Amino acid sequence: MTDPYRLISQTQAAYARAIDDDQLEQWSDFFADPCTYRVTSAASHRDGLPGGIVYCTSRGMLKDRISALREANIYERHSYRHILGAPYIVAERGSHVDSETAFMVARIMHTGETALFATGKYIDTYVIEAGQARIESRLVVCDSSRVDTLLVIPL
Amino acid sequence: MTDPYRLISQTQAAYARAIDDDQLEQWSDFFADPCTYRVTSAASHRDGLPGGIVYCTSRGMLKDRISALREANIYERHSYRHILGAPYIVAERGSHVDSETAFMVARIMHTGETALFATGKYIDTYVIEAGQARIESRLVVCDSSRVDTLLVIPL
Amino acid sequence: MTDPYRLISQTQAAYARAIDDDQLEQWSDFFADPCTYRVTSAASHRDGLPGGIVYCTSRGMLKDRISALREANIYERHSYRHILGAPYIVAERGSHVDSETAFMVARIMHTGETALFATGKYIDTYVIEAGQARIESRLVVCDSSRVDTLLVIPL
């Protein structure tokens, strides 16, 4: 399975599955180290602002984020369901692949109430090594600017 | 087309198309015989409960379910629209493939009113024979536990 | 990349990306010339009515539509997010491929308000030439009949 498209498609499916199954401790394993993980809004992205509702630059920071989430536990229990489009391959540069992927995320509250929570796209750079694709850089561009204050579980 | 990933991807697209186009009489053809089709909630699944809002163990039972739906006709007319993620291949065991696939289903009422109806994932075992993938076992895990009473058309 | 499935999958991802990134001037490039682009409802389609909330038969008409949208500018600013299922390949006929693809489109208003706007399927004929897939005919079948009056940006 060395076809980059397939590899990225499967990696994204695994990434979404880990989050939606509440296996958040696996989340950082999808990233290279160091890495970049940023969440921003389409408006900030369009205006060239760095954004950064969330900003992590290493696996350690990603892990810390999950630990904090597990310990704090002050938010109402909920889960996500990610649905991703096919990755659009923007460029292949040696072992690096740039891709963009549309997402919709539904949020399911403890009560069962379900709502469309976030839409947007991932702007990614993957590094492919030994048949594995890891995220070197993920910029999560949320279409709406309303999403930020509610953001607990990673997108 | 013997690549299991592609085969499952196309079979799932065909499955969703049959339901969403109201070709429900085709539904049972996507299954092996005997087979298992179960619908449960994430909470029941997590607690190891057998669940079973719906539970069928043969093509005949799947067909009966559709006949009942066609005859009863007491529910308000509506249709579904399934959007599926890429199948995540969990394991390949000879002619059997285990996969998981995220889904979102919108429900469109006769009046045109559209709402996000159900989200969750399929936990599937496919059997691949003569270039065809059939569902030997499908466990539909709905994220919300609210979905049950409204469930008429298959997920 | 001559595999029609992959080619169509990537072309659809690029199509959705162009619209959702507000690169609407690229929209007509995804079509052959002449071409057919029609939007209708599932009810009209089922009844064999020609439908045609929108009806274009050439790239020029598609371009005109975008120009009008850019100039008029009387509608409240909003963007779309398309999520597409895997294309279901209905038939391959020489350089032509017929496919159907489920879609969900969220609409994000200027205020950040996000809603499920439209669901349905594309019934497409692609022509494949020199490694490129172009849309010769796209019939957009919206599940709901309520969508029409709100339709500004292309689906």
Side-chain angles (χ1 to χ4, degrees), chain A residues 3 5-6 46 83-90 100-104 116-121 141 143-146, chain C residues 5-6 9-11 13-14 17 20-21 77 79-84 104-106 108 110-116:
Chain A
D3 170 10
Y5 174 83
R6 175 73 63 83
R46 204 161 37 228
I83 299 283
L84 309 182
Y88 176 73
I89 306 297
V90 176
E100 291 190 13
T101 307
F103 65 81
M104 272 193 199
L116 185 57
F117 171 62
T119 65
K121 67 172 173 176
V141 182
D143 292 322
S144 171
S145 41
R146 282 203 190 169
Chain C
Y5 174 82
R6 175 72 62 83
S9 180
Q10 280 294 284
T11 303
R17 181 176 176 253
D20 297 350
D21 282 356
R77 263 182 56 199
S79 63
Y80 286 170
R81 177 60 56 190
H82 288 70
I83 299 283
L84 309 182
M104 273 193 197
V105 176
I108 302 95
H110 186 52
T111 56
E113 201 192 323
T114 300
L116 185 57

Short mmCIF file of all heavy atoms in Angstrom, two decimals, chain A residues 3 5-6 46 83-90 100-104 116-121 141 143-146, chain C residues 5-6 9-11 13-14 17 20-21 77 79-84 104-106 108 110-116:
data_model
loop_
_atom_site.label_atom_id
_atom_site.label_comp_id
_atom_site.label_asym_id
_atom_site.label_seq_id
_atom_site.Cartn_x
_atom_site.Cartn_y
_atom_site.Cartn_z
N ASP A 3 0.57 3.59 -2.53
CA ASP A 3 -0.14 4.63 -3.25
C ASP A 3 -0.50 5.74 -2.26
O ASP A 3 -1.25 5.51 -1.31
CB ASP A 3 -1.39 4.00 -3.86
CG ASP A 3 -2.36 5.01 -4.44
OD1 ASP A 3 -1.99 6.20 -4.55
OD2 ASP A 3 -3.49 4.60 -4.77
N TYR A 5 -2.43 8.32 -2.26
CA TYR A 5 -3.85 8.64 -2.12
C TYR A 5 -4.53 7.66 -1.17
O TYR A 5 -5.23 8.04 -0.24
CB TYR A 5 -4.52 8.60 -3.50
CG TYR A 5 -6.02 8.77 -3.46
CD1 TYR A 5 -6.60 10.02 -3.39
CD2 TYR A 5 -6.85 7.66 -3.50
CE1 TYR A 5 -7.97 10.18 -3.36
CE2 TYR A 5 -8.23 7.80 -3.46
CZ TYR A 5 -8.78 9.06 -3.40
OH TYR A 5 -10.15 9.20 -3.37
N ARG A 6 -4.29 6.39 -1.41
CA ARG A 6 -4.90 5.34 -0.59
C ARG A 6 -4.41 5.41 0.85
O ARG A 6 -5.16 5.27 1.81
CB ARG A 6 -4.56 3.97 -1.19
CG ARG A 6 -5.04 2.79 -0.33
CD ARG A 6 -6.54 2.64 -0.41
NE ARG A 6 -6.91 2.35 -1.77
CZ ARG A 6 -6.88 1.12 -2.30
NH1 ARG A 6 -6.57 0.09 -1.57
NH2 ARG A 6 -7.21 0.95 -3.56
N ARG A 46 -8.37 33.52 5.39
CA ARG A 46 -8.50 34.35 4.19
C ARG A 46 -7.75 35.67 4.38
O ARG A 46 -7.13 36.19 3.46
CB ARG A 46 -9.99 34.62 3.93
CG ARG A 46 -10.35 34.96 2.53
CD ARG A 46 -11.84 34.76 2.29
NE ARG A 46 -12.66 35.14 3.44
CZ ARG A 46 -13.64 34.40 3.95
NH1 ARG A 46 -13.96 33.23 3.44
NH2 ARG A 46 -14.34 34.83 4.99
N ILE A 83 -17.20 13.01 9.23
CA ILE A 83 -17.33 12.46 7.88
C ILE A 83 -16.40 13.27 6.99
O ILE A 83 -16.51 14.50 6.94
CB ILE A 83 -18.78 12.55 7.35
CG1 ILE A 83 -19.74 11.76 8.23
CG2 ILE A 83 -18.85 12.05 5.91
CD1 ILE A 83 -19.71 10.26 8.05
N LEU A 84 -15.49 12.57 6.34
CA LEU A 84 -14.48 13.23 5.52
C LEU A 84 -14.73 12.98 4.04
O LEU A 84 -15.16 11.88 3.67
CB LEU A 84 -13.09 12.71 5.87
CG LEU A 84 -12.72 12.70 7.36
CD1 LEU A 84 -11.29 12.19 7.54
CD2 LEU A 84 -12.86 14.08 7.97
N GLY A 85 -14.45 13.96 3.23
CA GLY A 85 -14.45 13.75 1.79
C GLY A 85 -13.20 13.02 1.37
O GLY A 85 -12.33 12.71 2.20
N ALA A 86 -13.09 12.72 0.09
CA ALA A 86 -11.86 12.13 -0.44
C ALA A 86 -10.74 13.16 -0.34
O ALA A 86 -10.98 14.35 -0.57
CB ALA A 86 -12.05 11.73 -1.90
N PRO A 87 -9.53 12.75 0.04
CA PRO A 87 -8.44 13.72 0.07
C PRO A 87 -8.13 14.22 -1.34
O PRO A 87 -8.08 13.42 -2.28
CB PRO A 87 -7.25 12.91 0.63
CG PRO A 87 -7.60 11.47 0.40
CD PRO A 87 -9.10 11.40 0.41
N TYR A 88 -7.99 15.52 -1.47
CA TYR A 88 -7.57 16.09 -2.76
C TYR A 88 -6.06 16.29 -2.70
O TYR A 88 -5.55 17.03 -1.86
CB TYR A 88 -8.28 17.43 -3.00
CG TYR A 88 -7.81 18.09 -4.26
CD1 TYR A 88 -8.19 17.60 -5.51
CD2 TYR A 88 -6.93 19.18 -4.21
CE1 TYR A 88 -7.74 18.18 -6.67
CE2 TYR A 88 -6.48 19.77 -5.38
CZ TYR A 88 -6.88 19.26 -6.60
OH TYR A 88 -6.42 19.84 -7.76
N ILE A 89 -5.35 15.59 -3.59
CA ILE A 89 -3.88 15.66 -3.57
C ILE A 89 -3.44 16.93 -4.29
O ILE A 89 -3.65 17.08 -5.49
CB ILE A 89 -3.26 14.42 -4.26
CG1 ILE A 89 -3.80 13.11 -3.64
CG2 ILE A 89 -1.74 14.49 -4.22
CD1 ILE A 89 -3.47 12.89 -2.19
N VAL A 90 -2.85 17.85 -3.54
CA VAL A 90 -2.43 19.14 -4.09
C VAL A 90 -1.05 19.01 -4.72
O VAL A 90 -0.79 19.52 -5.81
CB VAL A 90 -2.41 20.23 -2.99
CG1 VAL A 90 -1.89 21.55 -3.54
CG2 VAL A 90 -3.80 20.38 -2.38
N GLU A 100 -5.73 18.32 0.74
CA GLU A 100 -6.82 19.03 1.40
C GLU A 100 -8.03 18.11 1.46
O GLU A 100 -8.32 17.40 0.50
CB GLU A 100 -7.19 20.31 0.64
CG GLU A 100 -6.10 21.36 0.73
CD GLU A 100 -6.54 22.72 0.20
OE1 GLU A 100 -7.77 22.92 -0.02
OE2 GLU A 100 -5.67 23.57 0.00
N THR A 101 -8.71 18.13 2.57
CA THR A 101 -9.83 17.22 2.78
C THR A 101 -10.97 17.96 3.48
O THR A 101 -10.76 18.55 4.54
CB THR A 101 -9.39 16.03 3.66
OG1 THR A 101 -8.24 15.42 3.09
CG2 THR A 101 -10.50 15.00 3.79
N ALA A 102 -12.14 17.90 2.88
CA ALA A 102 -13.32 18.52 3.49
C ALA A 102 -13.82 17.66 4.64
O ALA A 102 -13.70 16.44 4.60
CB ALA A 102 -14.42 18.66 2.44
N PHE A 103 -14.35 18.31 5.67
CA PHE A 103 -14.93 17.54 6.77
C PHE A 103 -16.25 18.13 7.22
O PHE A 103 -16.49 19.34 7.08
CB PHE A 103 -13.96 17.42 7.96
CG PHE A 103 -13.64 18.72 8.65
CD1 PHE A 103 -14.52 19.27 9.59
CD2 PHE A 103 -12.47 19.41 8.38
CE1 PHE A 103 -14.21 20.47 10.24
CE2 PHE A 103 -12.16 20.61 9.01
CZ PHE A 103 -13.03 21.15 9.95
N MET A 104 -17.10 17.26 7.76
CA MET A 104 -18.28 17.66 8.54
C MET A 104 -18.18 16.89 9.85
O MET A 104 -17.88 15.69 9.83
CB MET A 104 -19.57 17.25 7.85
CG MET A 104 -20.11 18.25 6.87
SD MET A 104 -21.82 17.85 6.38
CE MET A 104 -21.91 18.83 4.88
N LEU A 116 -25.14 19.33 13.69
CA LEU A 116 -23.99 19.63 12.84
C LEU A 116 -23.14 20.64 13.60
O LEU A 116 -23.58 21.75 13.86
CB LEU A 116 -24.49 20.21 11.52
CG LEU A 116 -23.46 20.47 10.44
CD1 LEU A 116 -22.68 19.21 10.09
CD2 LEU A 116 -24.15 21.00 9.18
N PHE A 117 -21.94 20.25 13.98
CA PHE A 117 -21.13 21.04 14.89
C PHE A 117 -20.10 21.90 14.16
O PHE A 117 -19.92 23.07 14.47
CB PHE A 117 -20.42 20.10 15.86
CG PHE A 117 -19.39 20.74 16.73
CD1 PHE A 117 -19.73 21.75 17.63
CD2 PHE A 117 -18.06 20.36 16.65
CE1 PHE A 117 -18.78 22.34 18.44
CE2 PHE A 117 -17.10 20.95 17.45
CZ PHE A 117 -17.45 21.95 18.35
N ALA A 118 -19.41 21.31 13.20
CA ALA A 118 -18.37 22.04 12.50
C ALA A 118 -18.22 21.51 11.08
O ALA A 118 -18.39 20.32 10.83
CB ALA A 118 -17.04 21.90 13.23
N THR A 119 -17.92 22.43 10.17
CA THR A 119 -17.56 22.05 8.81
C THR A 119 -16.29 22.80 8.46
O THR A 119 -15.98 23.82 9.06
CB THR A 119 -18.64 22.44 7.77
OG1 THR A 119 -18.72 23.88 7.73
CG2 THR A 119 -20.00 21.87 8.15
N GLY A 120 -15.56 22.29 7.49
CA GLY A 120 -14.34 22.97 7.09
C GLY A 120 -13.46 22.06 6.28
O GLY A 120 -13.94 21.12 5.66
N LYS A 121 -12.15 22.39 6.28
CA LYS A 121 -11.23 21.51 5.56
C LYS A 121 -9.91 21.42 6.30
O LYS A 121 -9.52 22.34 7.02
CB LYS A 121 -11.01 22.00 4.13
CG LYS A 121 -10.28 23.33 3.99
CD LYS A 121 -9.97 23.59 2.52
CE LYS A 121 -9.39 24.98 2.33
NZ LYS A 121 -8.98 25.22 0.93
N VAL A 141 -9.17 24.38 9.03
CA VAL A 141 -9.86 25.64 8.72
C VAL A 141 -11.36 25.43 8.88
O VAL A 141 -11.99 24.75 8.06
CB VAL A 141 -9.53 26.12 7.29
CG1 VAL A 141 -10.20 27.47 7.02
CG2 VAL A 141 -8.03 26.22 7.08
N ASP A 143 -15.16 26.54 8.72
CA ASP A 143 -15.90 27.50 7.90
C ASP A 143 -16.52 28.59 8.74
O ASP A 143 -16.57 29.75 8.34
CB ASP A 143 -17.00 26.77 7.13
CG ASP A 143 -16.44 25.83 6.07
OD1 ASP A 143 -15.44 26.20 5.44
OD2 ASP A 143 -16.99 24.73 5.90
N SER A 144 -17.01 28.23 9.90
CA SER A 144 -17.67 29.19 10.77
C SER A 144 -16.68 29.70 11.81
O SER A 144 -15.77 28.98 12.22
CB SER A 144 -18.85 28.53 11.47
OG SER A 144 -19.37 29.38 12.46
N SER A 145 -16.87 30.90 12.25
CA SER A 145 -16.00 31.43 13.31
C SER A 145 -16.65 31.23 14.68
O SER A 145 -16.11 31.63 15.70
CB SER A 145 -15.71 32.91 13.07
OG SER A 145 -16.86 33.57 12.63
N ARG A 146 -17.78 30.57 14.71
CA ARG A 146 -18.48 30.36 15.98
C ARG A 146 -17.97 29.16 16.76
O ARG A 146 -18.35 28.95 17.91
CB ARG A 146 -19.96 30.10 15.71
CG ARG A 146 -20.75 31.33 15.41
CD ARG A 146 -22.19 31.03 15.71
NE ARG A 146 -23.02 32.11 15.21
CZ ARG A 146 -24.33 32.05 15.14
NH1 ARG A 146 -24.95 30.95 15.54
NH2 ARG A 146 -25.02 33.05 14.68
N TYR C 5 -12.31 5.47 -11.76
CA TYR C 5 -12.85 5.70 -10.42
C TYR C 5 -12.05 6.76 -9.69
O TYR C 5 -12.58 7.71 -9.12
CB TYR C 5 -12.83 4.39 -9.63
CG TYR C 5 -13.24 4.52 -8.18
CD1 TYR C 5 -14.57 4.55 -7.82
CD2 TYR C 5 -12.27 4.62 -7.19
CE1 TYR C 5 -14.95 4.67 -6.50
CE2 TYR C 5 -12.64 4.74 -5.86
CZ TYR C 5 -13.97 4.76 -5.52
OH TYR C 5 -14.33 4.89 -4.21
N ARG C 6 -10.73 6.59 -9.71
CA ARG C 6 -9.85 7.52 -9.02
C ARG C 6 -9.92 8.91 -9.64
O ARG C 6 -9.95 9.93 -8.96
CB ARG C 6 -8.40 7.00 -9.10
CG ARG C 6 -7.36 7.94 -8.52
CD ARG C 6 -7.42 8.00 -7.01
NE ARG C 6 -7.13 6.70 -6.47
CZ ARG C 6 -5.90 6.24 -6.28
NH1 ARG C 6 -4.86 7.01 -6.50
NH2 ARG C 6 -5.70 5.03 -5.83
N SER C 9 -13.13 10.52 -8.71
CA SER C 9 -13.08 10.85 -7.29
C SER C 9 -12.27 12.14 -7.06
O SER C 9 -12.70 13.04 -6.33
CB SER C 9 -12.47 9.67 -6.53
OG SER C 9 -12.40 9.95 -5.16
N GLN C 10 -11.10 12.24 -7.72
CA GLN C 10 -10.26 13.43 -7.57
C GLN C 10 -10.91 14.65 -8.23
O GLN C 10 -10.83 15.75 -7.71
CB GLN C 10 -8.88 13.20 -8.19
CG GLN C 10 -7.94 12.42 -7.30
CD GLN C 10 -7.56 13.18 -6.01
OE1 GLN C 10 -6.75 14.10 -6.02
NE2 GLN C 10 -8.17 12.81 -4.89
N THR C 11 -11.55 14.44 -9.36
CA THR C 11 -12.20 15.56 -10.04
C THR C 11 -13.34 16.11 -9.19
O THR C 11 -13.52 17.32 -9.07
CB THR C 11 -12.73 15.10 -11.42
OG1 THR C 11 -11.63 14.56 -12.17
CG2 THR C 11 -13.35 16.26 -12.19
N ALA C 13 -13.57 15.92 -5.93
CA ALA C 13 -12.97 16.61 -4.78
C ALA C 13 -12.51 18.01 -5.19
O ALA C 13 -12.71 18.99 -4.47
CB ALA C 13 -11.81 15.80 -4.21
N ALA C 14 -11.92 18.11 -6.39
CA ALA C 14 -11.46 19.41 -6.88
C ALA C 14 -12.64 20.35 -7.16
O ALA C 14 -12.58 21.55 -6.88
CB ALA C 14 -10.62 19.22 -8.15
N ARG C 17 -14.01 21.60 -3.90
CA ARG C 17 -13.01 22.51 -3.32
C ARG C 17 -13.08 23.90 -3.98
O ARG C 17 -13.01 24.92 -3.31
CB ARG C 17 -11.63 21.89 -3.53
CG ARG C 17 -10.44 22.65 -3.00
CD ARG C 17 -9.20 21.80 -3.25
NE ARG C 17 -7.99 22.48 -2.85
CZ ARG C 17 -7.09 23.00 -3.70
NH1 ARG C 17 -7.30 22.93 -5.00
NH2 ARG C 17 -6.01 23.60 -3.23
N ASP C 20 -16.28 25.60 -2.68
CA ASP C 20 -16.27 25.90 -1.25
C ASP C 20 -15.19 26.93 -0.89
O ASP C 20 -15.30 27.61 0.13
CB ASP C 20 -16.09 24.62 -0.43
CG ASP C 20 -17.26 23.65 -0.62
OD1 ASP C 20 -18.28 24.05 -1.22
OD2 ASP C 20 -17.16 22.49 -0.18
N ASP C 21 -14.17 27.03 -1.74
CA ASP C 21 -13.12 28.05 -1.54
C ASP C 21 -13.45 29.35 -2.25
O ASP C 21 -12.59 30.23 -2.36
CB ASP C 21 -11.77 27.55 -2.06
CG ASP C 21 -11.11 26.56 -1.12
OD1 ASP C 21 -11.65 26.32 -0.02
OD2 ASP C 21 -10.04 26.05 -1.47
N ARG C 77 -24.15 37.20 2.28
CA ARG C 77 -22.93 36.42 2.04
C ARG C 77 -22.95 35.09 2.79
O ARG C 77 -23.28 35.05 3.97
CB ARG C 77 -21.69 37.22 2.48
CG ARG C 77 -21.03 37.94 1.29
CD ARG C 77 -19.81 38.69 1.75
NE ARG C 77 -18.85 37.80 2.42
CZ ARG C 77 -17.88 38.22 3.23
NH1 ARG C 77 -17.73 39.50 3.46
NH2 ARG C 77 -17.05 37.36 3.79
N SER C 79 -21.22 30.74 2.46
CA SER C 79 -20.41 29.76 1.73
C SER C 79 -21.00 28.37 1.92
O SER C 79 -21.89 28.18 2.74
CB SER C 79 -18.96 29.81 2.19
OG SER C 79 -18.85 29.44 3.55
N TYR C 80 -20.53 27.45 1.10
CA TYR C 80 -21.00 26.07 1.18
C TYR C 80 -19.85 25.19 1.65
O TYR C 80 -18.67 25.53 1.49
CB TYR C 80 -21.39 25.54 -0.22
CG TYR C 80 -22.68 26.04 -0.79
CD1 TYR C 80 -22.97 25.77 -2.14
CD2 TYR C 80 -23.61 26.75 -0.06
CE1 TYR C 80 -24.15 26.20 -2.71
CE2 TYR C 80 -24.79 27.18 -0.63
CZ TYR C 80 -25.05 26.92 -1.96
OH TYR C 80 -26.22 27.34 -2.54
N ARG C 81 -20.22 24.04 2.15
CA ARG C 81 -19.24 22.96 2.35
C ARG C 81 -19.88 21.69 1.80
O ARG C 81 -20.91 21.25 2.31
CB ARG C 81 -18.91 22.80 3.84
CG ARG C 81 -17.96 21.66 4.16
CD ARG C 81 -16.61 21.76 3.50
NE ARG C 81 -15.93 23.01 3.82
CZ ARG C 81 -14.81 23.41 3.20
NH1 ARG C 81 -14.25 22.69 2.25
NH2 ARG C 81 -14.27 24.56 3.53
N HIS C 82 -19.31 21.17 0.74
CA HIS C 82 -19.77 19.92 0.13
C HIS C 82 -19.07 18.72 0.78
O HIS C 82 -17.84 18.74 0.91
CB HIS C 82 -19.38 19.85 -1.35
CG HIS C 82 -20.14 20.75 -2.27
ND1 HIS C 82 -20.00 22.12 -2.26
CD2 HIS C 82 -21.04 20.47 -3.24
CE1 HIS C 82 -20.78 22.64 -3.19
NE2 HIS C 82 -21.42 21.67 -3.80
N ILE C 83 -19.83 17.71 1.12
CA ILE C 83 -19.25 16.41 1.44
C ILE C 83 -19.84 15.41 0.48
O ILE C 83 -21.07 15.27 0.41
CB ILE C 83 -19.52 15.99 2.91
CG1 ILE C 83 -18.92 16.99 3.89
CG2 ILE C 83 -18.98 14.59 3.17
CD1 ILE C 83 -17.43 16.89 4.10
N LEU C 84 -18.98 14.73 -0.26
CA LEU C 84 -19.43 13.80 -1.28
C LEU C 84 -19.13 12.38 -0.87
O LEU C 84 -18.09 12.10 -0.25
CB LEU C 84 -18.72 14.09 -2.61
CG LEU C 84 -18.74 15.54 -3.10
CD1 LEU C 84 -18.04 15.64 -4.45
CD2 LEU C 84 -20.16 16.05 -3.20
N MET C 104 -23.93 15.96 0.52
CA MET C 104 -24.55 16.79 1.55
C MET C 104 -23.85 18.13 1.47
O MET C 104 -22.62 18.17 1.34
CB MET C 104 -24.30 16.24 2.95
CG MET C 104 -25.30 15.22 3.41
SD MET C 104 -25.14 14.91 5.21
CE MET C 104 -26.04 13.36 5.28
N VAL C 105 -24.62 19.19 1.54
CA VAL C 105 -24.03 20.52 1.49
C VAL C 105 -24.49 21.31 2.71
O VAL C 105 -25.70 21.41 2.96
CB VAL C 105 -24.41 21.27 0.20
CG1 VAL C 105 -23.87 22.69 0.19
CG2 VAL C 105 -23.91 20.52 -1.02
N ALA C 106 -23.53 21.79 3.47
CA ALA C 106 -23.85 22.69 4.58
C ALA C 106 -23.70 24.12 4.07
O ALA C 106 -22.86 24.41 3.22
CB ALA C 106 -22.91 22.45 5.76
N ILE C 108 -22.95 28.00 5.33
CA ILE C 108 -22.40 28.75 6.45
C ILE C 108 -22.67 30.23 6.17
O ILE C 108 -22.15 30.80 5.22
CB ILE C 108 -20.88 28.49 6.62
CG1 ILE C 108 -20.64 26.99 6.82
CG2 ILE C 108 -20.32 29.29 7.78
CD1 ILE C 108 -20.30 26.22 5.58
N HIS C 110 -22.72 34.36 6.87
CA HIS C 110 -21.74 35.35 7.27
C HIS C 110 -21.61 35.43 8.80
O HIS C 110 -20.54 35.65 9.34
CB HIS C 110 -22.18 36.70 6.69
CG HIS C 110 -21.19 37.78 6.90
ND1 HIS C 110 -19.87 37.66 6.54
CD2 HIS C 110 -21.32 39.02 7.45
CE1 HIS C 110 -19.23 38.78 6.85
NE2 HIS C 110 -20.08 39.61 7.40
N THR C 111 -22.72 35.21 9.47
CA THR C 111 -22.75 35.27 10.93
C THR C 111 -22.13 34.04 11.60
O THR C 111 -21.96 34.01 12.81
CB THR C 111 -24.22 35.31 11.40
OG1 THR C 111 -24.88 34.16 10.84
CG2 THR C 111 -24.91 36.56 10.94
N GLY C 112 -21.84 33.03 10.81
CA GLY C 112 -21.27 31.82 11.37
C GLY C 112 -22.28 30.71 11.53
O GLY C 112 -21.94 29.55 11.75
N GLU C 113 -23.54 31.07 11.40
CA GLU C 113 -24.62 30.08 11.51
C GLU C 113 -24.48 29.02 10.43
O GLU C 113 -24.36 29.33 9.25
CB GLU C 113 -25.96 30.82 11.36
CG GLU C 113 -27.13 30.07 11.93
CD GLU C 113 -28.45 30.72 11.49
OE1 GLU C 113 -28.51 31.96 11.39
OE2 GLU C 113 -29.38 29.95 11.21
N THR C 114 -24.51 27.76 10.85
CA THR C 114 -24.29 26.65 9.92
C THR C 114 -25.51 25.75 9.90
O THR C 114 -26.04 25.41 10.96
CB THR C 114 -23.06 25.84 10.37
OG1 THR C 114 -21.92 26.70 10.36
CG2 THR C 114 -22.78 24.67 9.43
N ALA C 115 -25.95 25.35 8.72
CA ALA C 115 -27.09 24.44 8.63
C ALA C 115 -26.92 23.48 7.47
O ALA C 115 -26.25 23.80 6.48
CB ALA C 115 -28.39 25.24 8.47
N LEU C 116 -27.52 22.33 7.61
CA LEU C 116 -27.59 21.38 6.51
C LEU C 116 -28.50 21.99 5.46
O LEU C 116 -29.68 22.22 5.71
CB LEU C 116 -28.17 20.06 7.04
CG LEU C 116 -28.22 18.88 6.09
CD1 LEU C 116 -26.86 18.55 5.53
CD2 LEU C 116 -28.78 17.66 6.80
#
